[in-house]
Each structure stands twice: as structure tokens, then as C-alpha cells.
Amino acid sequence: MADFLGRDFRAPESRHAAAKNAYALLGQHKYDLAAAFFLLSGALGDAVSVLAKERGEPQLALMVARLAGPEATSALQAVVHK
């Protein structure tokens, strides 16, 4: 896992690998790790959705979205309106 996390996640190949791992972790019901891997892949909306819906932690989802900065506006709105 340390080797994987040492990758440059600005590269498309690494982002794609992180997204694949996130979906695999969802299938294993490891929601916290899945959200983390979605964040690594750049899929903020998916990370926020997993935290709010699957994990049942809307407050944590809001905090993650707020920490992500201005690009998180749509993810924030999705959590607030549900």
C-alpha cells in the first residue's frame, strides 16, 4: 500500500488505479478507505457521496467537501439537499 500511495496522483494512470481501488473497496464495504481513494482519484463528488450515504456521516462529508476548496461547490450542494 505504501508503494501505491507514493505514486503521483496528478498522472491519469494513477488516478484511474485509485478509482478502480475505490470501487473495489466499496464492494468490500470499506467505505472510509473507498472515500479516501476517491479523493486520490480526484472524484470529490463520489467521496462525499460515499461518506454521506454509505457511511452515514453527512457532517464528515461536508467537512471533506469544505476542505477541498471552491471546486467542491457541487459536492457540497448534493449533500445539503439530501
Side-chain angles (χ1 to χ4, degrees), residues 39-58:
L39 287 173
L40 288 174
S41 74
L44 176 65
D46 290 333
V48 168
S49 177
V50 166
L51 291 172
K53 294 178 184 173
E54 303 298 332
R55 184 74 168 84
E57 295 283 350

Side-chain angles (χ1 to χ4, degrees), residues 16-58:
H16 180 73
K20 281 182 69 173
N21 282 316
Y23 285 112
L25 289 164
L26 276 179
Q28 298 169 14
H29 304 283
K30 296 180 180 180
Y31 302 123
D32 294 329
L33 284 173
F37 275 82
F38 276 128
L39 287 173
L40 288 174
S41 74
L44 176 65
D46 290 333
V48 168
S49 177
V50 166
L51 291 172
K53 294 178 184 173
E54 303 298 332
R55 184 74 168 84
E57 295 283 350

